[in-house]
Amino acid sequence: MTECALRANELDVIRGNKTVLSSMSFEVKKGEVFALLGGNGAGKSTTLLTFMGLLKPNGGTAEVFGHTAALEPAAVREKIAYLPENAALYEHLNAWENLNYFLSLSQARPQQSTLRAALDAVSLPEESRGRPLNSYSKGMRQKVAIALALLRETPVLLLDEPTSGLDPAAVEDFHNIIERLSSKGVAILMVTHDLYGACQVAHRVGLLRAGELVDVFEAGADGSVDITAVRDLFLQQQVA
Amino acid sequence: MNLGFRLQQELSFLLKSRAMLGALLLLLVVSSGSVALGLAYVSQEREKIEELIVLDTQERDYKRTLAVDYGGAAYDAFHAAWNAPSDLAFAAIGQRDLNPTMMRVRALALEGQIYETDSINPELALAGRFDFAFVSAYLLPLIIIFAFYDLFASERESGRLNLLSVSAQNTRSLWVPRILFRVLGIALAGLVPLWLGMLSERTALGSAIGVSLAVLLQILFWTVLVLLIASRSAFRSETAASISVGMWVVLTLAIPIAGKVYIESSVAGIKGAEVSLVQREVVNDAWDLPISDTMNAFYASHPEWADSPPITGVWHWKWYYAFQQIGDETAAELAREYRESIVARDRLTAAVAWLSPAVAIQRRLEDLAQTNLEASFAFEDEVRGYHEKIRRAYYPVLFREIPFSQERLAQIVIPDFQISQKSGEGD
């Protein structure tokens, strides 16, 4: 039986008077890519924050390899790499400096060749790597953030709108990276608006509506989730 | 654990921040400027003292050659008294701006000589002195506010906080190095110029440690205060900045000003000039009184001279010096009240220091530099003692009516002014 990496168990999150997550339960196994699809305010980012131990749920638990995020945040964060929606790295530092700085926070000291390999993997142009990020396009910044997530070499990857701002070629590269990580056993929880991307890369796609997980679609024999079924429900949901 | 790498990255991060480097450079320049000005001030004071001693001796020796009587010799003989700056005075000029540090006293009434500078020093008191104490009290907190007000909010507002929090193993490993390097940068930018100044002044180790600890305590206080404000997650960076600057205004401006207003209204103020005025009035009135009235009053308080021969003419130097001394004695009570009122105000200011770190550090630095009120009064007391020696040197020849001769005048030796040796070691 494949080990469960992430488990949401009857998660309730209430912020102010608003219920953001309601009795949400799901699991992500090692090597599985699970995409949470939903509109604005559906609770996608809140789910990630809860798994990172940055938000305490009002009910239920978010577990990472058996560690409850709200109770053992340090143990949980050791196992998680996170890619935020807007690659919020330091604008005045270049790619090398950003990677070194963020990795030093987790007490890692990577070799220069390792950093180079990660930047090569995300196809960040060689000549741009020594320039401060304030000269980068949004997509280039996102690539550095992806490289950072790769370098953490954690068994869990949390992705918040990972392909936002990437050009089609970069999206394709990113999907390849996700598939490679998945094949290495990394559990990936991805929240996104990108219906097509999610169906293409995820083993399962969950639809979130107003904090509730309304349905989960599994990938078929071809390895992709049936986009038509997901799209229909997603659009119904948007109209509703 | 790669602590060395972590610290190296945090240092590199600090050095790459132009705004923070600019703030540290500004502090370094301002601190250096204050130390340089302080050193120039004390150097100038020492030169003036040297010059005063030489010129004073030359003039006194020359005037003595012209003397035809003891009274005239005493009248023309000015004696320099000085309060040499301590080895830390450059850092906190303190009361040296307000009270005289160099005087030329003679056997005449003393009160007027002591308080004559009171008519000019308010201008200096108003402007204040740009010294290291000023930088520590007022500018240093502003740099600390700049360094820390948006420490957390800037990360939150840029959307980086979650990534930082997940990347760091724990909150301490994320923030402690960043805070420590900033504190270290501020401490070095503020203190290195002071340390160089102390090296050039050969400041005693005790004072050097004391002043460094006082500045570090000031840095610690403001860092903790600003971090407490900045760590409120509800505050945006501009809110944190406004509250921090508001605290600065309250603690460094409003409380000292309110304290000053309260002190001035609650402690009756006597001016030094009033003491001089009373003394001058007694002296001036004496010219219109019968000589015997003055002499009887003088002999009553100084019976050791009561057997002096009676004055038969319309003028005698011993009458002149007698009414000068009566002038001092009449003003003595007022002078005592004046000092008591200053001491009372100083005590209240010390109480204000508990509410205002700006006042507290200035007072602490002035204590260590011996430029505080106590040191000022100590100098005044030394001058009073020295003046008494001058009087006692001339009174025997005046009241015994010894016939004048240059040989006898030469026997009247008044030693140079000596102030109790400053320890320069602070507490």
Side-chain angles (χ1 to χ4, degrees):
Chain A
M1 186 179 166
T2 312
E3 190 181 355
C4 175
L6 297 172
R7 175 181 287 125
N9 185 25
E10 294 291 318
L11 266 184
D12 288 321
V13 174
I14 300 166
R15 295 178 112 170
N17 294 324
K18 190 184 173 200
T19 300
V20 187
L21 294 180
S22 176
S23 299
M24 186 165 75
S25 298
F26 65 83
E27 287 183 358
V28 184
K29 294 185 169 51
K30 280 181 74 174
E32 185 183 19
V33 180
F34 183 59
L36 275 177
L37 201 61
N40 293 331
K44 303 188 299 293
S45 296
T46 302
T47 307
L48 294 187
L49 291 177
T50 311
F51 272 107
M52 290 187 283
L54 297 174
L55 191 65
K56 288 193 176 175
N58 299 83
T61 55
E63 294 171 18
V64 179
F65 284 103
H67 297 286
T68 304
L71 302 177
E72 305 167 88
V76 161
R77 288 172 199 168
E78 256 180 45
K79 300 187 181 307
I80 284 178
Y82 167 61
L83 179 63
E85 179 179 1
N86 294 311
L89 302 173
Y90 288 105
E91 298 278 306
H92 66 290
L93 303 182
N94 63 33
W96 305 112
E97 290 163 346
N98 264 296
L99 294 180
N100 271 321
Y101 184 80
F102 278 92
L103 290 170
S104 79
L105 292 174
S106 54
Q107 306 293 346
R109 185 172 193 170
Q111 298 292 321
Q112 183 75 1
S113 56
T114 313
L115 299 183
R116 184 178 299 281
L119 291 174
D120 287 344
V122 296
S123 307
L124 186 75
E126 180 81 36
E127 65 277 9
S128 65
R129 296 175 187 178
R131 294 204 316 259
L133 262 62
N134 54 22
S135 65
Y136 281 25
S137 67
K138 190 181 175 190
M140 288 166 74
R141 286 176 207 173
Q142 191 73 353
K143 286 179 177 178
V144 180
I146 295 167
L148 176 62
L150 296 178
L151 284 162
R152 290 290 310 282
E153 294 182 328
T154 52
V156 175
L157 195 52
L158 302 183
L159 310 173
D160 193 350
E161 304 288 358
T163 52
S164 165
L166 294 183
D167 58 45
V171 170
E172 191 59 36
D173 287 346
F174 178 70
H175 287 168
N176 291 335
I177 290 170
I178 294 297
E179 281 167 12
R180 199 169 66 239
L181 290 173
S182 166
S183 67
K184 285 182 180 173
V186 176
I188 297 168
L189 173 60
M190 173 168 79
V191 302
T192 182
H193 285 115
D194 179 10
L195 173 66
Y196 299 97
C199 291
Q200 186 185 341
V201 78
H203 299 118
R204 288 187 300 143
V205 173
L207 266 182
L208 261 183
R209 182 170 59 197
E212 286 185 46
L213 188 61
V214 293
D215 209 343
V216 176
F217 299 86
E218 305 246 356
D222 63 346
S224 298
V225 176
D226 177 9
I227 194 163
T228 315
V230 180
R231 185 188 59 201
D232 291 347
L233 189 58
F234 184 55
L235 291 178
Q236 272 178 29
Q237 173 186 317
Q238 294 297 92
V239 171
Chain B
M1 285 285 283
N2 273 304
L3 185 62
F5 182 62
R6 171 82 191 97
L7 295 178
Q8 180 198 329
Q9 287 302 309
E10 202 58 58
L11 178 62
S12 165
F13 182 82
L14 175 72
L15 297 177
K16 290 264 176 183
S17 166
R18 283 187 190 170
M20 196 57 221
L21 278 187
L24 292 179
L25 188 65
L26 176 69
L27 178 60
L28 184 68
V29 168
V30 169
S31 179
S32 302
S34 71
V35 167
L37 287 173
L39 288 171
Y41 171 84
V42 294
S43 166
Q44 201 177 22
E45 284 240 303
R46 287 186 186 120
E47 280 173 21
K48 278 187 197 166
I49 288 169
E50 292 294 318
E51 198 177 7
L52 175 69
I53 294 168
V54 172
L55 292 176
D56 196 69
T57 308
Q58 284 174 355
E59 186 197 59
R60 200 165 52 240
D61 290 348
Y62 171 68
K63 287 282 176 66
R64 272 201 168 185
T65 64
L66 305 178
V68 293
D69 52 36
Y70 296 117
Y75 186 88
D76 287 333
F78 285 90
H79 297 265
W82 61 90
N83 182 12
S86 73
D87 54 14
L88 192 58
F90 74 93
I93 308 296
Q95 294 286 323
R96 296 185 69 84
D97 254 355
L98 308 178
N99 296 319
T101 55
M102 278 171 265
M103 296 175 68
R104 298 180 75 219
V105 290
R106 49 182 173 160
L108 272 59
L110 178 65
E111 298 299 342
Q113 298 181 70
I114 283 184
Y115 296 116
E116 66 185 358
T117 55
D118 270 30
S119 59
I120 54 166
N121 68 21
E123 287 173 31
L124 283 169
L126 194 66
R129 177 70 66 168
F130 179 71
D131 57 11
F132 183 80
F134 176 84
V135 171
S136 305
Y138 296 98
L139 300 182
L140 187 61
L142 287 175
I143 299 292
I144 294 170
I145 289 171
F146 178 79
F148 293 113
Y149 80 96
D150 69 343
L151 187 71
F152 308 110
S154 64
E155 302 295 5
R156 196 166 48 238
E157 287 159 15
S158 65
R160 217 165 18 233
L161 190 59
N162 289 342
L163 181 59
L164 284 168
S165 302
V166 172
S167 300
Q169 282 192 336
N170 55 56
T171 311
R172 270 204 313 274
S173 77
L174 169 59
W175 298 114
V176 171
R178 192 174 290 192
I179 291 168
L180 277 183
F181 274 112
R182 290 186 187 205
V183 167
L184 190 66
I186 290 168
L188 288 177
L191 283 172
V192 165
L194 177 72
W195 290 337
L196 291 176
M198 290 196 292
L199 211 59
S200 89
E201 282 286 291
R202 299 174 197 279
T203 304
L205 186 63
S207 300
I209 292 172
V211 70
S212 302
L213 285 177
V215 173
L216 289 174
L217 204 61
Q218 167 85 335
I219 292 173
L220 183 69
F221 172 85
W222 279 101
T223 301
V224 169
L225 181 67
V226 178
L227 284 177
L228 279 175
I229 295 166
S231 63
R232 293 294 303 268
S233 58
F235 291 163
R236 292 185 60 78
S237 51
E238 55 266 35
T239 310
S242 303
I243 293 173
S244 300
V245 171
M247 292 302 292
W248 178 85
V249 170
V250 169
L251 293 176
T252 63
L253 299 178
I255 288 177
I257 290 170
K260 190 170 187 291
V261 170
Y262 170 74
I263 290 166
E264 283 180 355
S265 66
S266 62
V267 179
I270 302 169
K271 301 281 189 291
E274 289 176 39
V275 180
S276 296
L277 190 65
V278 167
Q279 176 256 300
R280 289 300 305 167
E281 280 174 351
V282 171
V283 168
N284 289 337
D285 290 349
W287 290 98
D288 302 325
L289 293 173
I291 288 178
S292 58
D293 285 9
T294 299
M295 296 314 294
N296 289 339
F298 179 77
Y299 292 144
S301 55
H302 299 278
E304 69 272 28
W305 308 117
D307 58 350
S308 181
I311 296 169
T312 51
V314 295
W315 161 266
H316 197 288
W317 276 112
K318 65 182 179 186
W319 166 66
Y320 179 80
Y321 285 105
F323 69 65
Q324 293 284 330
Q325 183 145 5
I326 288 174
D328 274 350
E329 287 163 4
T330 307
E333 180 61 19
L334 198 60
R336 190 183 58 76
E337 284 177 27
Y338 176 48
R339 181 180 284 206
E340 280 176 0
S341 73
I342 295 174
V343 170
R345 286 175 177 211
D346 191 58
R347 282 202 194 104
L348 287 172
T349 309
V352 171
W354 284 100
L355 302 173
S356 168
V359 177
I361 191 167
Q362 280 191 310
R363 287 180 65 86
R364 183 65 191 136
L365 264 53
E366 286 170 15
D367 289 348
L368 289 165
Q370 296 167 2
T371 54
N372 56 6
L373 191 64
E374 198 181 330
S376 192
F377 281 153
F379 173 60
E380 187 185 308
D381 290 341
E382 298 273 359
V383 171
R384 287 179 186 280
Y386 187 53
H387 182 261
E388 187 59 26
K389 280 184 193 168
I390 296 169
R391 272 180 170 157
R392 284 180 187 279
Y394 284 105
Y395 276 13
V397 291
L398 288 170
F399 285 94
R400 303 287 176 234
E401 297 195 4
I402 307 286
F404 178 79
S405 72
Q406 280 291 338
E407 292 73 27
R408 181 65 186 87
L409 181 61
Q411 290 172 12
I412 300 174
V413 177
I414 297 160
D416 283 344
F417 178 78
Q418 289 282 333
I419 198 163
S420 308
Q421 189 59 44
K422 287 172 183 294
S423 70
E425 291 174 0
D427 287 348

